[in-house]
């Protein structure tokens, strides 16, 4: 699989997560990331030492150097590489903000399937197209059940 410097792993069975990744395809002007759904066969090779349950709790970014960022730390890391997200990433560097952001992120993550139903993310995903990028799988919500 051809990858950019940073691989972002996400839950492609979650409409909210898939919607956010579609949005990232439009914000990633410089192809700083490669988006990899957890259902993709290469996902287990990228982070073989992390349990699937942990991967489903939050988005993860694996850098070229092999460092792994998760949750709000992932958003901060990726945000510094996308011009329109730089202001958000800079706010996350203010002392104490990342701690608060992690708690908010985890609360949203735990309730993401419920939030997807409330906000109609599945329908929004169908409307919002992802930007096609070479070497990446299509960003569509998977309808299969988790093992």
């Amino acid at each position: 699989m051809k990858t950019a410097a940073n691989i972002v792993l996400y839950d492609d069975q979650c409409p909210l997560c898939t919607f956010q990744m579609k949005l990232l395809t439009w914000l990633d002007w410089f192809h700083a990331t490669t988006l990899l759904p957890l259902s993709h066969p290469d996902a287990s090779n990228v982070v073989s030492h992390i349990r699937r349950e942990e991967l489903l709790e939050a988005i993860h970014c694996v850098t070229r150097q092999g460092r792994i960022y998760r949750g709000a730390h992932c958003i901060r890391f990726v945000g510094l590489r996308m011009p329109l997200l730089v202001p958000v990433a800079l706010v996350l560097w203010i002392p104490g903000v990342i701690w608060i952001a992690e708690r908010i992120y985890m609360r949203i993550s735990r309730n993401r399937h419920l939030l997807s139903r409330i906000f109609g993310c599945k329908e929004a995903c169908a409307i919002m197209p992802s930007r096609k990028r070479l070497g990446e799988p299509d960003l569509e919500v998977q309808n299969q059940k988790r093992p």
Side-chain angles (χ1 to χ4, degrees), residues 9-21 38 52-60 70 104-122 141 146:
L9 296 149
Y10 69 98
D11 180 3
D12 55 321
Q13 295 182 11
C14 165
L16 180 63
C17 305
T18 301
F19 179 78
Q20 291 171 345
M21 292 306 113
L38 289 175
R52 181 165 175 78
E53 295 78 29
E54 291 178 60
L55 291 172
L56 289 170
E57 288 177 0
I59 60 171
H60 287 71
R70 145 184 227 278
I104 293 169
Y105 182 94
M106 289 313 296
R107 182 161 289 178
I108 291 171
S109 177
R110 271 187 249 120
N111 297 296
R112 68 187 184 275
H113 294 286
L114 174 64
L115 292 170
S116 293
R117 285 192 299 272
I118 290 171
F119 294 112
C121 292
K122 194 166 190 173
V141 177
R146 285 196 187 97

Side-chain angles (χ1 to χ4, degrees), residues 91-135:
V91 167
L92 291 173
W93 277 103
I94 296 171
V97 172
I98 195 69
W99 184 86
I100 295 166
E102 269 304 328
R103 269 92 195 134
I104 293 169
Y105 182 94
M106 289 313 296
R107 182 161 289 178
I108 291 171
S109 177
R110 271 187 249 120
N111 297 296
R112 68 187 184 275
H113 294 286
L114 174 64
L115 292 170
S116 293
R117 285 192 299 272
I118 290 171
F119 294 112
C121 292
K122 194 166 190 173
E123 292 77 23
C125 269
I127 294 169
M128 181 179 182
S130 60
R131 193 175 101 201
K132 299 294 179 199
R133 298 170 4 144
L134 293 176

Side-chain angles (χ1 to χ4, degrees), residues 24-64:
L24 272 186
T25 65
W26 292 102
L27 297 174
D28 190 4
W29 301 341
F30 304 116
H31 304 284
T33 62
T34 293
L35 306 177
L36 187 61
L38 289 175
S39 67
H40 194 280
D42 290 338
S44 60
N45 298 333
V46 172
V47 286
S48 58
H49 60 286
I50 300 177
R51 292 186 350 244
R52 181 165 175 78
E53 295 78 29
E54 291 178 60
L55 291 172
L56 289 170
E57 288 177 0
I59 60 171
H60 287 71
C61 180
V62 181
T63 68
R64 183 185 341 212

